[in-house]
Structures are given as C-alpha cells and as structure tokens.
C-alpha cells in the first residue's frame, strides 16, 4: 500500500465528495472516504466496492472536532506513511429553507442576490448560530485539517491540496471596497487578519449590521467563508511552495447543499477537484479553477 498515491476527501459519503472519491479511485488512487457518521461512510465505500472499486477505505471525520482530525491523521500515517492528496470538500450552507418549494420555483441559487434580499424573506433564512457553524466548518475546519495533514503531505513527492470553493466566494459579492482590497492583497494579508475579518463579520451578523458595513446580504456566512477559503488557499500556496494548493468552484450542482437545485450533476462537479488533485508537478499553485478552467479570483460578475 505504501507505494500507491493516497487521497483523503472530507465530507465524502455523498454529493461532489463521493463523486471525487469515485473518480480518484478510478484513476488508481488509494482513497480514504470520510464522513461524520461512520456507518454512512461504510455504506458509501460498500457501494463503490460493488461497482468494482476496491481501493477505497472509510474513516470517520468531523472537521469541527480536533480529536476526530487527529484520529484520521494517525490512521493515514499508519496505513500509508504519507499523504499525497487532501481534498477539502466538506461544507455547510449556513442557511435554512423556510419555504423550499418557493426557493426552487424562484430559480434556486440564481436568485440569491443582494438585490433580492426582500424576496428571500420567508423563503431562506440565515441566523447567527447557522452563520457561526458555517464559518467553523467551511473555514476553520478546512484550516484545521489542512494544518494537521501538512507534515504527512510534506512526505509525498507530489503533494496536492484542493479546496472546494464557490463562485459565492468571489469578492464581487462584497460591498466594502477597502475590505475587498485587503482580501485581494495577498502580499500583505495574514491568517491573523483573516481571523479578525471573520470575527468582525460574525459581530455584524449578530448586531444586524451587514448592510451598514458592506457585507454580502444573502447567504452571507457562506460567501464570507468561501472568500476566506480563497484567501487561505493563496496564503498556503505561498507558504508551502512544494505543495500545489488550489481552489475549485465545481459549478452549480444538484446536491443537498443546493437543496437539489442546479445546472450540473455531482459527477460533473467532481471533474474540477479531481483534475486539481491530479495536476502534474509543474502545475499551477495558488489559483482558482472554475470547474476545470483557471479564472481570476475576482471577476466583474458571476452567476452561481
Ligand atoms: N453543489 C453546488 O452547487 C456547489 C457550488 C459551489 C461549491 N460547492 C462546494 O462543493 C462542496 C461539496 O458540496 P456538495 O454540493 O457535494 O454538498 P453536500 O452533498 O451537502 O455535501 C457536503 C458534505 O459536507 C459534509 N460536512 C458538513 N459539515 C461537516 C463536518 N463538520 N465534518 C465533516 N463533513 C461535514 C456533509 O456531511 P453531513 O451530511 O454529515 O452534514 C456532506 O457530506 C462544498 O464545499 C460546497 O461548498 C458546491
């Protein structure tokens, strides 16, 4: 087992993560499929086995739980002695649907624009608690597992980190010009400053000051979390020049996080992360892939 390239995919018993595991396994990678609920992970691995893929193992993982991260790192160290690919896929949406039918009838996430904030009242709601959990998972969880795996990634000849992001992480959705400049200025940005920005956002979310301070008004925590993931990706790429660290927007896919709305399947959505996981050693680092195409981090206007 030690000779084979090995990948860990977070939050991967369903959706794009599951498809990423399947496509990586088809490429001959030894995959560790993970889920918060161990029996769900086991069932998904069984499904892959039935389809003829025997190079997938499962392990429990909650990226919000440091002891769960430590157990997974130990498991990978024991079985493979190193890690070649980490796909940070796990995320949550930070919203609840009050009227899912209306949300779907209105076009799903295509309507999640700040100018429609009044139309989403009674349809989709973001609370402080959901926002806080969203940032804990999407940003701090991603950061926690990445830091924990860096030593094992450093033992690989071709280390890759793939962070699932979203077009919702584009700074286009932010209305505070100074903050946008700060998050774009990777030369001067620090992890400590990202933390301060997140704490500032959460304070404003609690105090109902999103508009006043120029934050995104719809799916706000999710947008802030993915903007933070983008910035973190660029900082990590600079900090670890021997690791290819990139982020990928999978496209708008029909999965649970989108309430099963979207333009693409999870199978199509997984193509970008799989490509970024299998980049050759002279591939790019610190870039944003929109599906499989390199795209600027901030563009004038994106649709989901
Ligand atoms: N679908 C889209 O259109 C779209 C667009 C842009 C970006 N993305 C990104 O693509 C990635 C995959 O999402 P998806 O569309 O496949 O949605 P999904 O089917 O809802 O998958 C999300 C996964 O994350 C897991 N997860 C949540 N919190 C976790 C935690 N604390 N620890 C471990 N796992 C956790 C979920 O498990 P539980 O069931 O246990 O919560 C689930 O397996 C996400 O990063 C998402 O932001 C998706």
């Amino acid at each position: 087992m030690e000779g084979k390239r090995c990948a860990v995919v977070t939050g991967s018993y369903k959706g794009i993560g599951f498809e990423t595991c399947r496509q990586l396994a088809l490429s001959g990678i030894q995959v560790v499929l993970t889920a918060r609920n161990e029996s769900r992970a086991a069932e998904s691995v069984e499904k892959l086995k039935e389809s003829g893929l025997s190079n997938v193992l499962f392990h429990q993982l909650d990226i919000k739980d440091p002891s769960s991260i430590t157990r997974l790192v130990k498991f990978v160290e024991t079985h493979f002695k190193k890690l070649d690919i980490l796909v940070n896929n796990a995320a949550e949406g930070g919203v609840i649907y009050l009227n899912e039918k209306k949300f779907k009838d209105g076009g799903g996430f295509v309507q999640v624009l700040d100018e429609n904030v009044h139309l989403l009242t009674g349809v989709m709601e973001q609370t402080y608690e959901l926002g806080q959990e969203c940032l804990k998972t999407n940003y701090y969880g991603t950061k926690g597992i990445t830091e924990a795996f860096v030593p094992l990634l450093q033992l690989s000849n071709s280390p890759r980190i793939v962070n699932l992001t979203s077009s919702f992480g584009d700074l286009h959705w932010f209305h505070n010009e100074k903050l946008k400049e700060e998050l774009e200025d990777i030369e001067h940005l620090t992890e400590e400053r990202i933390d301060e920005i997140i704490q500032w956002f959460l304070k404003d979310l609690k105090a109902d000051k999103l508009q006043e301070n120029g934050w995104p008004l719809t799916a706000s925590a999710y947008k802030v979390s993915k903007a933070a993931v983008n910035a973190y990706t660029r900082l990590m790429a600079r900090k670890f020049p021997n690791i290819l660290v990139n982020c990928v927007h999978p496209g708008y896919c029909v999965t649970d996080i989108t309430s099963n709305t979207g333009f693409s399947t999870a199978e199509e959505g997984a193509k970008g992360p799989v490509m970024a996981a299998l980049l050759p050693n002279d591939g790019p680092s610190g870039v944003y892939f929109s599906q499989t195409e390199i795209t600027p981090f901030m563009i004038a206007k994106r649709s989901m």
Side-chain angles (χ1 to χ4, degrees):
M1 272 199 183
E2 277 173 48
K4 225 174 189 180
R5 291 187 78 207
C6 165
V8 164
V9 185
T10 69
S12 53
Y13 76 93
K14 64 176 180 178
I16 295 166
F18 176 74
E19 267 301 322
T20 302
C21 290
R22 194 180 67 79
Q23 293 174 30
L24 285 174
L26 275 172
S27 303
I29 305 291
Q30 171 62 56
V31 178
V32 184
L33 181 154
T34 63
R36 287 198 266 206
N37 179 318
E38 192 165 23
S39 55
R40 285 192 173 148
E43 277 167 30
S44 297
V45 166
E46 202 44 48
K47 226 190 273 176
L48 292 174
K49 276 214 175 95
E50 282 164 13
S51 73
L53 291 168
S54 56
N55 47 335
V56 187
L57 298 174
F58 69 86
H59 201 276
Q60 193 276 342
L61 174 68
D62 181 342
I63 61 168
K64 279 197 272 202
D65 175 2
S67 64
S68 169
I69 293 179
T70 302
R71 283 195 298 276
L72 176 66
V73 172
K74 284 223 170 85
F75 174 83
V76 173
E77 189 176 21
T78 306
H79 280 76
F80 309 109
K81 314 276 185 252
K82 61 164 169 98
L83 181 68
D84 301 290
I85 299 162
L86 173 64
V87 181
N88 284 314
N89 170 79
E92 52 188 277
V95 292
I96 45 161
Y97 299 99
L98 303 175
N99 188 338
E100 208 165 344
K101 185 177 177 312
K102 203 166 170 196
F103 173 72
K104 288 182 177 180
D105 290 348
F109 276 92
V110 170
Q111 72 199 305
V112 181
L113 307 171
D114 284 358
E115 48 270 40
N116 289 345
V117 68
H118 59 291
L119 298 176
L120 292 163
T121 307
V123 176
M124 184 189 220
E125 191 179 52
Q126 53 184 10
T127 62
Y128 174 72
E129 287 70 25
L130 286 169
Q132 204 180 24
E133 291 310 306
C134 178
L135 280 148
K136 269 191 202 160
T137 298
N138 302 7
Y139 181 66
Y140 290 108
T142 294
K143 196 175 158 194
I145 191 157
T146 302
E147 282 167 2
F149 269 122
V150 161
L152 287 184
L153 284 160
Q154 295 285 25
L155 299 176
S156 163
N157 294 326
S158 51
R160 311 280 178 264
I161 299 173
V162 182
N163 294 328
L164 269 286
T165 186
S166 165
S167 55
F168 273 179
D170 192 321
L171 297 177
H172 156 76
W173 305 105
F174 290 62
H175 314 287
N176 178 329
E177 294 306 319
K178 199 163 165 283
L179 177 61
K180 276 157 83 158
E181 271 168 35
E182 217 184 324
L183 284 166
E184 264 292 286
D185 183 6
I186 293 304
E187 292 300 310
H188 297 101
L189 190 64
T190 61
E191 288 176 40
E192 292 70 30
R193 183 58 188 147
I194 298 176
D195 276 351
E196 283 172 11
I197 291 170
I198 289 173
Q199 294 318 312
W200 171 25
F201 164 74
L202 286 172
K203 216 168 118 221
D204 282 352
L205 178 62
K206 198 174 202 174
D208 202 11
K209 284 188 173 172
L210 295 184
Q211 186 146 25
E212 191 177 317
N213 288 324
W215 299 104
L217 300 180
T218 53
S220 313
Y222 184 80
K223 285 173 176 161
V224 170
S225 75
K226 294 296 187 179
V229 164
N230 289 351
Y232 180 63
T233 301
R234 299 169 90 179
L235 293 184
M236 291 299 280
R238 227 180 33 176
K239 188 168 172 188
F240 298 107
N242 64 320
I243 306 181
L244 300 186
V245 191
N246 293 300
C247 49
V248 181
H249 165 54
Y252 181 17
C253 304
V254 181
T255 62
D256 286 349
I257 209 169
T258 58
S259 188
N260 291 296
T261 60
F263 305 136
S264 309
T265 61
E267 186 176 349
E268 288 160 342
K271 285 186 182 147
V274 169
M275 184 224 55
L278 301 179
L279 282 172
N281 279 346
D282 61 354
S285 189
V287 307
Y288 177 109
F289 287 96
S290 180
Q291 297 173 286
T292 53
E293 299 291 323
I294 293 182
T295 310
F297 275 89
M298 182 161 62
I299 60 173
K301 192 161 177 82
R302 281 192 215 278
S303 61
M304 178 77 188

